[in-house]
Structure formats: structure tokens, C-alpha cells
Amino acid sequence: MLPTRFPNLLVNGSQGIAVGMATSIPPHNLRECCGALIALIDDPALGLDGIMAHVQGPDFPGGGLMLGTEGVLDAYRTGRGRCVVRAKSHVEQIKRAGDREQIVFTELPYQVNKATLLEKIAELVHEKKIDGISDLRDESDREGIRMVVELKKGESSDIVLNNLYQQTQLQNSFPITMLCIVNGQPRILTLREILKEFIGFRREVVTRRTLFQLRKAEDRHHILMGLKIALDFLDAVIKLIRAASSPDEAKEGLMAGRFATAAQLKARPELALSDKQAQAILDMRLQRLTGLEREKILEELAELEKTIAGLKAILDNDSLLMGVIREEFQNVSDQFGNDRMTEIAAFSGNIRMEDVVPDEEMVVTMSKAGYIKRTALVAYRRQKRGGKGKLGMKTKDEDFVERLFLTKAHDTLLVYTDRGYAYALKVYDLPEAAASTRGKHIKNLISLKDDEKVVTLMALREFPEENHLVFATSDGTVKKTSLSSYANIRSNGLIALNIEEGNRLVSVRVSTGNQQIVLISALGKAIRFPEEDIRAMGRTATGVRGMRLGASDEIVDMEVAEPLPDLEEGEEPDESTAAHGMLLTVTEKGYGKRSLLQDYRLQGRGGTGVINIRAGVRNGKVVGSVLVKPSEGCLLISQEGMVIRFNIDEVRKTGRAAMGVRLLNLASETDRVVGLAKIDASAQALDEEEDLDLVVDAETGNPAPSEDGVQQKLDLE
């Protein structure tokens, strides 16, 4: 093993594989490693936290950005872990097109080939796995790497960048297995153990080196002592050498000390020179006999004596030995150390789907057979009230769209079943499909039981503890439970409501705890009562009576409204309360109306309610109701999959007991309205900015020009 002065295993890293074992050690910064070694020498009991004050983590020669230290900390603590490294990038505005951006990568992860990476990105763009990229080029030169990804107009650089990190080696995971050979045995070491082993190695190297230097110094000292003796007895030595008949005889005389008297030899036994001393005297040039050379010999002898004393002190004193090792570490750091190249970020590197999926407005639709999908809101066009609508989902025979609602891609979708179970998944986990396609069956997404039927879908962003969920069942039962009880739903579902035999869940709404509850029945009745009438219950409770129903009647919908004062006898509703919301009621024959909530007198929980809409042969039964405000929109969908989107302001305000106006011209006598959803004012304004009337082609799902144009506005009663 070469006597290296720095921990090469850490600084340059190592990768290798053998039978049943492998090592993978990333490179580290030389200055940091030397600093950690010095700190460990100063404090042998120094722990991992103290070591990591110097060694922050791996330092790759290509730079990049290391995401978090959790995996690195595991590796340093146990010998196994990983580090996540991503390319360093920045966003530039394209000069020739001020509203477009380009992502520029200047540093790549360790061992990532730039040419291969460019090919991979091009392949993903070609296969449409990554959208939003218009051009890709390599502008690298001798100054460094510059890889440019040019974006299309209006594309978000953050989303494209996260997609690139997720699907390419622009973000790479480097496994760490610190397997080393220690005393001939393979061992997985922690960072502290590696540093301690290296200090032990340097101790052995410096000890052996000091012993070697001491031996050489003592050998030289021995020769110089012989030369000094020769100089002290110079005339006698010269006489002995001149009298000798051969070099061997002269050498023998020097070793016997014949140049000195018997008394001198007895007093100074060292005058009997050794073989090496005698040979050095014979090999000495005459110029060494000058006074100047004699002084040099004496000076060298004195210096050697100091050196020998110092070397012996190092060997005898452990602190001096460790001081030498420490000084050498410091010299290596000063001479060869450089600044860290890999930057460490606090981010863990785990890219969530929220980072790569735009938080767009989505229309979620689900068929009676259980096929669900999400479609971007812009795929639907707005029409005038009374229009014929446009095909919203192609279904199989005997299947039809049963429910839809508007949400955002990052929301959590809560799925409630008629048996009172709750399931959860993200909206972006739903299959995204064109308006005319069917989607995927709900059982492929959540673990529905065989006898369960989805009755309510709800999208939430947060689960504050002060809010509640209000449940309504078909027999008029209501229940209120804290929203936080449903924040963490298991993959196999959670009991949301205890449902009795013959009853079913019909609606779930979020409330603040001090609002008003509105229940709507299928035969045109409705009741409004304070939410305080319902006490908060546990998650598995059954609930209390909310509305007393007549024969063959049932609850079809529920709304939660802001508190409004009740009207006195004969008092007319206040038109200004429309800003708090009006109740839009829709029947299965395509008729509907919107009325002020104050028109529905405030009652106590458990009452029979008042007339909401005339349900009969013309209107059919009530499908549902929603609270709407001015400038909002609404989507209606029929059993045969016809969808219409219109502005709420186009529906004339009527009294509570009115018959309503036509909202949707059904395609056939057998068709009926099966679902409705409210569209807020901001979403309703999306397509009002441009004078376009695009629809979705039923065969291809692609936008196509409208054939029937804008429908004439009707005013039926």
C-alpha cells in the first residue's frame, strides 16, 4: 500500500464489485477530509456531528446540486445510504421572443454522459412523455457545460424542469456502500471508522518513516564519528596508511586503532574503528583535510545529533507523533485543497406529482358503470341556456354519465359510497382523457367492495380541524363530524358513516360549524335549518333526523349555506342576499330555477320543509340543487352523455314554488338529466376572453369548430 498523505478512498472515491459484495464510495472534498482528520486528532472522542461540521457530504468533480443530507447521514452513520444529485440550472428569457423561456444546465450529476442525456431528452419529447419543449441544443465550449432546453410559448419552466428531473439523469441517485478491506478482511465502515483507520494507517507510516530516518541518521552519525577521530589523529592516521603495503592492511590497522597509543585505546575504545568507519577514512578525499571541511564535518555531526534526538522523541512521545501527522494533514490541505464544487440544498429531492402536474381546472366525470376520468375544463365550450349541449363521454351500451364536478388537479378526491365508506386519491391520479372518451373503472383506482356503489365525490385541498363534514342520507338523516377525522384515509377505505339497512348516503358537504343546512327531496320539497341543531358526532355514528319525508319521497341533495335571517310573516325576500348564494334546482326533464334562500323559511331540524319546485309530469323528479352566485356557471349532463355549460345569470330568478325554465333540450324522450356541477366565476370567465366557439369532436377528442354555433336564448316558464 502506498504511503498516501490524504484519504484517497474518500477524496477520489471508489467503485468496485466482487463475488457477493460491492463498494461504492463517492468522492469528497480534500480540504474537508483533512479538516475532519485534524479535528479527530485534536479530539479522539469526536462524534459524527462534529465530523460533519467539516465533511458536509460528497463533493463531485462535475459540481451539481446535492439534495439533502438524510441519505448521506445514513451512509456516514451505518456505512450504507445514498445521495441524490441533480444538474444545476437556471432559466433565461429568450432574447428573440421575450415571452418565452429556456432552461440552461451548467453542471451535470456525477458520471452522467452529456451526449446520452441529450438523446434521452429528445426521445422523451418525441414520444410525448415530456411536453413543452420546442428545441434542444448543446452550447458547451472550453469555458464549461451549457446545455439549453428551449420551451414553447406559455409553458411553465418549473413543471418542465421537474419532469426532466423525474424522467432523466438530470437528477441521479448515487448509492453509497463504504465497503473497505481492513487488515485483509472486507468490512462496511462508518465515516468515523474510515477516518480513524486512516489515522491509524498514517501513524504506522510515520512511525516506520521515523524509524527509517533514525536508522539512516545513526548510520551517518557513525561515519562522521570515524571521520572526526581520523581528524583528531590525523598525522598518526596518515603515517599508518603510508606505512601499509595494501589498502586491506591499512584498513586493518585503522580497525585495530594502531594510530593511537595503548593508553589512549584503553581510555577510548571507540578509537578501534569499525569496518564502515575505516572504509570511509580510506575513501575520504584529501580536500576534506582542510580546515573548512573539518568544520563542515563537525557542524554536520552536531546537526545529526539534534536530528537523532528529535526522531527518538517522536518515537517515544505519542503526542509528538500525532503532531507530525496533524501538521502533514494541514500542509496537504493548504497545498492542494480547493473549494467545494457540489452545492448542498436542503431539499430532499423527492419529486412529488404536484411538482410535475399543473394545478389546472379539471372536470371529473363518472359513469353509472363506474368509469371515471378527468378532463381539462377548457375542453368544454360555453353555450346559451337552452342549447343542445355536446357529447361529454362516450359510454358502452346501457351505461351513462351519472355525476360530474369541477375541481383542481392537486386536490384530494374523497370518494363516498352508499354504504358509508370513504376512500381517497389525488385528482391527478385519475386518468386524463378527452371529453369524448370513457376513462378507467374506479375499482382500478381504489379498493371498492363488491356491494359498494359510489354516491358522492368531493375534492378538498386541506383538512382544518375547526371545519366539519355534514352527511345526509336518503331517509333524511344528517350527521356532523370533524373534517380532520378524514385527513388520513387508508388505502382500503375508512368508515365515514354508520348506515342502517335500507338507507344510503346521498350527499356530503364541508361546513364551518355555524352555517345553515339545506336538504332537497326528490318530490320538490326543501328544508333550511341551523347547523347548530346537529351536534358533532364520532366518525362511525349514525346521525339524527334532518327532514321528515313523505311517502315515496327521499333526499337527493344537500347544501351548506351562510347564515341568513328568517323572514317575518308577509315579508318579501331581500334581493341583496343573492350575493350570498341562490338555490339552483334542476329536474330530470331538463328544467330548473334559481331562488333566493330567504324564500325558504328557517325551520328546526326534523321538519317537513316547504315546496322547492313543482315536481310533476312536466319537470319530473328533482335531480339536485347547488348554491350559485352571479357570474358563475353550471354544467349539466344527461343520461346519454350530453353536456351543456351556461352562465347562471342566464337563468331567470323565480319564486320558491315556480315551475322553472328549460335548461337543457334533451336529445330523446328517454333521456334525462343525471348530474349538475357549479363553475366558479373565474373558471366561467376563461373562454370569455376570446371570441371562440370550439367543441370537442366525439371521435377524436380534439377541438373542432362548432357546427351549430350559439343557441338562441329561451325564456320558458
Side-chain angles (χ1 to χ4, degrees):
M1 183 179 293
L2 297 176
T4 176
R5 292 194 177 188
F6 63 91
N8 183 67
L9 194 64
L10 285 175
V11 173
N12 289 322
S14 178
Q15 286 182 293
I17 188 169
V19 178
M21 64 186 71
T23 184
S24 179
I25 303 175
H28 290 74
N29 184 270
L30 174 63
R31 184 181 294 164
E32 291 182 0
C33 290
C34 289
L37 289 167
I38 292 172
L40 201 55
I41 290 174
D42 293 340
D43 181 9
L46 187 68
L48 181 59
D49 291 340
I51 292 173
M52 290 195 67
H54 300 274
V55 181
Q56 302 177 40
D59 187 25
F60 299 99
L65 192 67
M66 192 176 78
L67 306 181
T69 58
E70 183 178 352
V72 174
L73 187 62
D74 290 339
Y76 288 168
R77 185 186 295 116
T78 67
R80 293 184 184 273
R82 73 184 188 108
C83 65
V84 179
V85 184
R86 70 167 42 168
K88 191 174 289 187
S89 64
H90 64 274
V91 178
E92 298 178 353
Q93 292 290 329
I94 301 178
K95 295 181 180 180
R96 61 181 183 275
D99 57 344
R100 293 174 59 193
E101 296 178 328
Q102 63 183 19
I103 304 171
V104 180
F105 297 95
T106 55
E107 295 178 5
L108 299 181
Y110 186 54
Q111 294 180 333
V112 171
N113 184 278
K114 183 178 58 177
T116 305
L117 178 61
L118 289 168
E119 291 177 3
K120 178 63 176 178
I121 296 175
E123 179 183 339
L124 291 172
V125 173
H126 178 71
E127 295 175 354
K128 300 189 182 301
K129 293 182 179 179
I130 295 182
D131 296 324
I133 296 177
S134 63
D135 192 17
L136 180 66
R137 58 185 180 272
D138 182 11
E139 297 180 356
S140 305
D141 54 21
R142 66 180 62 184
E143 299 297 327
I145 292 176
R146 181 178 169 86
M147 196 174 75
V148 180
V149 176
E150 193 171 308
L151 306 184
K152 295 178 181 178
K153 182 178 180 180
E155 290 292 335
S156 169
S157 58
D158 290 335
I159 291 177
V160 174
L161 191 58
N162 283 323
N163 266 308
L164 289 171
Y165 285 145
Q166 189 177 49
Q167 301 187 54
T168 70
Q169 287 187 306
L170 285 169
Q171 178 169 310
N172 220 6
S173 177
F174 189 94
I176 302 176
T177 304
M178 296 199 289
L179 180 68
C180 312
I181 303 297
V182 182
N183 299 324
Q185 298 292 326
R187 284 178 54 196
I188 293 180
L189 303 181
T190 65
L191 176 62
R192 187 176 186 277
E193 288 173 338
I194 288 180
L195 295 175
K196 291 289 285 185
E197 288 290 340
F198 185 73
I199 290 175
F201 166 72
R202 286 302 302 167
R203 179 196 293 269
E204 181 181 359
V205 169
V206 172
T207 300
R208 289 186 177 185
R209 184 187 66 196
T210 304
L211 287 171
F212 173 78
Q213 291 174 342
L214 178 60
R215 185 169 63 251
K216 297 295 288 185
E218 288 177 339
D219 289 345
R220 181 60 179 167
H221 182 269
H222 181 65
I223 297 297
L224 291 177
M225 284 300 295
L227 295 180
K228 182 177 179 297
I229 291 172
L231 293 175
D232 291 341
F233 296 88
L234 182 59
D235 293 337
V237 169
I238 293 175
K239 182 178 179 182
L240 185 149
I241 294 173
R242 290 182 63 185
S245 60
S246 65
D248 291 338
E249 184 181 344
K251 185 177 182 180
E252 183 180 348
L254 291 173
M255 293 175 65
R258 295 173 186 162
F259 53 85
T261 64
Q264 290 173 331
L265 191 59
K266 184 177 181 179
R268 297 175 60 187
E270 68 271 13
L271 295 180
L273 303 176
S274 67
D275 182 87
K276 291 182 178 180
Q277 289 176 324
Q279 187 63 45
I281 293 172
L282 292 174
D283 294 338
M284 183 176 61
R285 300 175 63 181
L286 291 177
Q287 69 177 21
R288 302 294 298 272
L289 302 178
T290 62
L292 183 60
E293 290 296 326
R294 293 179 66 180
E295 288 298 324
K296 287 183 178 180
I297 290 174
L298 295 176
E299 289 176 1
E300 184 181 357
L301 185 61
E303 188 66 31
L304 271 176
E305 289 174 349
K306 292 181 182 179
T307 301
I308 291 171
L311 293 174
K312 287 182 177 180
I314 291 173
L315 293 173
D316 295 337
N317 192 324
D318 188 69
S319 62
L320 289 178
L321 177 64
M322 298 308 296
V324 172
I325 297 173
R326 186 187 191 283
E327 183 180 1
E328 290 179 354
F329 286 153
Q330 188 64 58
N331 292 338
V332 170
S333 177
D334 295 341
Q335 187 175 358
F336 302 106
N338 58 357
D339 294 332
R340 164 174 280 276
M341 300 186 68
T342 301
E343 183 181 342
I344 299 177
F347 175 51
S348 67
N350 297 322
I351 299 177
R352 307 171 303 163
M353 285 298 294
E354 284 88 343
D355 298 324
V356 298
V357 176
D359 195 17
E360 297 176 336
E361 297 275 355
M362 290 287 171
V363 176
V364 176
T365 58
M366 184 175 176
S367 75
K368 184 176 179 60
Y371 289 92
I372 191 170
K373 66 170 182 176
R374 62 184 172 100
T375 305
L377 178 64
V378 294
Y380 296 93
R381 67 181 170 102
R382 186 175 60 87
Q383 296 180 339
K384 298 292 182 178
R385 175 181 59 81
K388 291 187 177 180
K390 198 66 184 176
L391 187 63
M393 176 186 283
K394 294 186 71 174
T395 60
K396 288 186 174 181
D397 295 340
E398 301 180 0
D399 190 18
F400 57 90
V401 174
E402 190 174 42
R403 61 180 56 83
L404 82 161
F405 64 94
L406 188 68
T407 182
K408 285 194 169 184
H410 290 186
D411 289 347
T412 299
L413 183 64
L414 297 181
V415 182
Y416 297 93
T417 70
D418 58 342
R419 301 310 307 154
Y421 281 88
Y423 302 87
L425 70 159
K426 288 291 187 179
V427 172
Y428 55 68
D429 287 331
L430 298 176
E432 185 174 11
S436 60
T437 55
R438 188 173 51 163
K440 184 181 293 186
H441 201 279
I442 188 75
K443 287 188 176 181
N444 294 327
L445 303 173
I446 58 176
S447 303
L448 282 179
K449 298 174 178 59
D450 293 337
D451 59 343
E452 282 187 295
K453 177 185 175 183
V454 176
V455 296
T456 302
L457 300 176
M458 175 186 294
L460 296 175
R461 184 61 60 100
E462 296 176 343
F463 296 81
E465 188 173 355
E466 62 272 14
N467 286 1
H468 296 82
L469 281 182
V470 180
F471 298 83
T473 63
S474 60
D475 69 350
T477 300
V478 292
K479 189 194 80 163
K480 183 172 71 174
T481 305
S482 174
L483 179 60
S484 60
S485 300
Y486 303 91
N488 299 305
I489 298 181
R490 300 185 299 267
S491 59
N492 60 345
L494 194 71
I495 296 176
L497 177 71
N498 186 21
I499 297 289
E500 296 179 352
E501 191 67 28
N503 194 14
R504 60 184 177 85
L505 182 66
V506 297
S507 182
V508 184
R509 293 290 185 271
V510 179
S511 72
T512 61
N514 56 1
Q515 295 176 288
Q516 293 178 351
I517 308 300
V518 182
L519 296 177
I520 299 93
S521 77
L523 297 183
K525 301 291 286 292
I527 186 173
R528 177 169 68 99
F529 60 86
E531 185 184 343
E532 289 84 350
D533 288 357
I534 312 173
R535 62 181 177 84
M537 304 179 186
R539 180 171 53 82
T540 59
T542 301
V544 296
R545 182 179 296 279
M547 182 177 181
R548 192 175 301 276
L549 299 171
S552 71
D553 199 5
E554 64 177 0
I555 299 297
V556 295
D557 215 337
M558 174 185 64
E559 279 293 343
V560 175
E562 293 300 323
L564 289 173
D566 197 15
L567 296 176
E568 299 293 337
E569 187 71 28
E571 184 180 1
E572 293 294 324
D574 186 356
E575 293 291 330
S576 64
T577 61
H580 296 282
M582 301 181 68
L583 192 65
L584 174 69
T585 302
V586 179
T587 67
E588 60 185 5
K589 293 294 185 68
Y591 290 88
K593 70 174 185 67
R594 61 178 178 134
S595 304
L596 292 170
L597 272 179
Q598 269 196 326
D599 234 352
Y600 302 79
R601 65 181 177 85
L602 193 64
Q603 302 182 25
R605 176 181 61 80
T608 58
V610 297
I611 295 176
N612 177 30
I613 192 171
R614 300 290 180 179
V617 177
R618 173 183 177 268
N619 287 347
K621 291 184 177 181
V622 175
V623 174
S625 297
V626 291
L627 281 177
V628 294
K629 296 179 181 179
S631 301
E632 290 184 331
C634 185
L635 279 172
L636 297 185
I637 194 162
S638 77
Q639 175 176 303
E640 296 179 2
M642 303 302 294
V643 177
I644 186 172
R645 175 180 171 187
F646 57 88
N647 197 305
I648 291 299
D649 297 335
E650 297 170 5
V651 181
R652 188 166 60 88
K653 288 185 289 186
T654 64
R656 173 176 54 79
M659 294 286 289
V661 297
R662 184 181 296 277
L663 302 179
L664 175 63
N665 274 327
L666 297 175
S668 66
E669 291 293 331
T670 59
D671 197 10
R672 64 186 179 91
V673 177
V674 294
L676 72 158
K678 181 177 69 175
I679 305 172
D680 62 27
S682 60
Q684 181 67 13
L686 284 177
D687 65 343
E688 294 180 357
E689 298 177 357
E690 299 182 7
D691 189 18
L692 298 176
D693 188 27
L694 297 180
V695 300
V696 175
D697 186 271
E699 298 298 327
T700 65
N702 297 322
S706 172
E707 296 177 358
D708 52 359
V710 179
Q711 302 292 323
Q712 181 182 1
K713 181 175 181 179
L714 303 179
D715 190 16
L716 302 177
E717 294 188 31

